[in-house]
C-alpha cells in the first residue's frame, strides 16, 4: 500500500494506523515520487492527498489510472467539494475529508480492498455472470463488456453496474445505492451521482439520452435491461 502526502505528520499517522491494521505501507511525499514508487512496486491501494508538490493528486490519480486499475482513496480538505468530485470523475474509488479519523480511513481502505477481492456487501449473491441491455458482467473474473468490446471500469463503476444488472427494473435511491454498493451508512450522495454519470459515459450509446441507466425523478435510478427509448413525459 502506498501513502502519498507532503505533510510528514499526516503520513506518519496514516501509515501507523494502516501498519497496525496489518498492511505493509510505502510512502511518498510528492507526485513524481508517488508515480516512481508505484511503478517500482505496484501497490494494492494508494491513499492519495490532493494537494501535492510537483504533480497534484488529480494528475497522479489520472496517470495511475492510465497504468492500471489500482484502487485510490483520496484525502481532501473538507471545503474542496469541486476537487473531490473531479477526483471521483477521474476514477478515485473513495475519499476521506480532512480532518479525518484515522480509524475511519482504515475502514474505508478495508472496504475498498474487500471490493477488489470480491468479498464486499453483495459478494456471493446469486450467479456470477450477469447480462442485460447488451452488457455482460462476470463478477468472478471482474470483467465487463458489450458489443463494442471490453468496458474499462473502475472498482466502484463495476460494482454499481453489477448491482443494476442484478436488479433490472427496480428503482434505487442514492441512499440505497450508497449503502449497498459502497457499504456506507453515511456520506456525500454526490459520490453516487458522479459514478452514475461516469458509468453512463461508458455503457450508453448516447450518455445525454440514456436508455439503460434511467433517472427516476424523486427516487433515484433504475436499470432498463431492454434499453427502450423514453416515452412521452418520461426522462432518461
Amino acid at each position: 500500500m502506498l501513502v502519498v502526502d507532503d505533510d510528514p505528520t499526516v503520513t506518519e499517522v496514516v501509515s501507523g494506523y494502516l501498519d497496525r491494521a496489518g498492511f505493509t505501507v510505502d510512502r511518498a511525499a510528492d507526485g513524481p515520487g508517488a508515480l516512481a514508487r508505484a511503478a517500482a512496486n505496484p501497490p494494492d491501494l494508494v491513499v492519495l492527498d490532493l494537494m501535492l508538490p510537483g504533480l497534484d493528486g488529480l494528475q497522479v490519480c489520472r496517470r495511475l489510472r492510465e497504468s492500471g486499475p489500482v484502487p485510490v482513496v483520496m484525502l481532501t480538505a473538507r471545503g474542496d467539494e469541486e476537487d473531490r468530485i473531479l477526483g471521483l470523475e477521474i476514477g478515485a474509488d473513495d475519499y476521506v475529508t480532512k480532518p479525518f479519523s484515522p480509524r475511519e480511513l482504515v475502514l474505508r481502505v478495508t472496504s475498498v480492498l474487500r471490493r477488489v477481492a470480491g468479498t464486499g456487501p453483495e459478494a456471493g449473491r446469486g450467479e456470477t455472470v450477469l447480462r442485460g441491455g447488451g452488457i455482460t458482467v462476470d463478477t468472478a473474473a471482474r470483467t465487463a463488456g458489450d458489443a463494442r468490446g471490453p468496458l474499462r471500469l473502475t472498482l466502484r463503476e463495476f460494482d454499481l453496474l453489477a448491482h443494476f444488472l442484478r436488479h433490472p427494473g427496480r428503482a434505487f435511491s442514492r441512499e440505497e445505492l450508497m449503502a449497498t454498493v459502497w457499504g456506507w451508512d453515511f456520506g456525500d450522495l454526490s459520490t453516487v451521482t458522479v459514478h452514475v454519470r461516469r458509468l453512463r459515459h461508458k455503457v450508453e450509446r448516447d450518455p445525454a439520452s440514456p436508455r439503460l441507466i434511467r433517472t427516476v425523478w424523486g427516487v433515484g435510478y433504475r436499470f432498463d435491461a431492454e434499453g427502450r427509448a423514453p416515452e412521452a413525459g418520461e426522462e432518461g
Side-chain angles (χ1 to χ4, degrees), residues 2 5 12 42 55 104 106 109 129 153 161 170 196 207 228:
L2 178 61
D5 199 301
E12 186 68 29
L55 291 171
E104 178 191 356
V106 171
V109 165
V129 178
L153 305 176
L161 178 59
R170 177 179 169 184
V196 167
R228 60 186 178 83

Side-chain angles (χ1 to χ4, degrees), residues 170-181:
R170 177 179 169 184
F172 291 93
S173 68
R174 292 189 298 170
E175 291 86 352
E176 288 175 314
L177 291 172
M178 179 165 281
T180 304
V181 178

Side-chain angles (χ1 to χ4, degrees), residues 178-199:
M178 179 165 281
T180 304
V181 178
W182 276 258
W184 302 354
D185 293 326
F186 63 92
D188 185 350
L189 294 178
S190 66
T191 299
V192 178
T193 306
V194 169
H195 279 79
V196 167
R197 182 166 67 241
R198 282 180 53 86
L199 187 55

Side-chain angles (χ1 to χ4, degrees), residues 21-100:
F23 300 108
T24 300
V25 182
D26 194 6
R27 308 178 188 183
D30 56 34
L35 293 174
R37 289 184 179 275
N41 185 22
D44 294 325
L45 182 143
V46 179
V47 178
L48 178 64
D49 186 36
L50 275 183
M51 303 299 293
L52 293 171
L55 291 171
D56 65 29
L58 295 176
Q59 292 173 298
V60 173
C61 184
R62 185 182 290 110
R63 294 194 187 186
L64 287 171
R65 284 296 181 203
E66 291 172 353
S67 302
V70 58
V72 174
V73 176
M74 294 187 308
L75 301 179
T76 73
R78 188 171 300 278
D80 294 341
E81 181 177 2
E82 184 176 338
D83 284 343
R84 183 165 64 248
I85 290 176
L86 182 56
L88 292 171
E89 289 179 337
I90 289 173
D93 298 288
D94 205 344
Y95 67 88
V96 177
T97 55
K98 296 180 179 180
F100 58 86

Side-chain angles (χ1 to χ4, degrees), residues 113 140 165 176:
L113 290 174
L165 287 173
E176 288 175 314

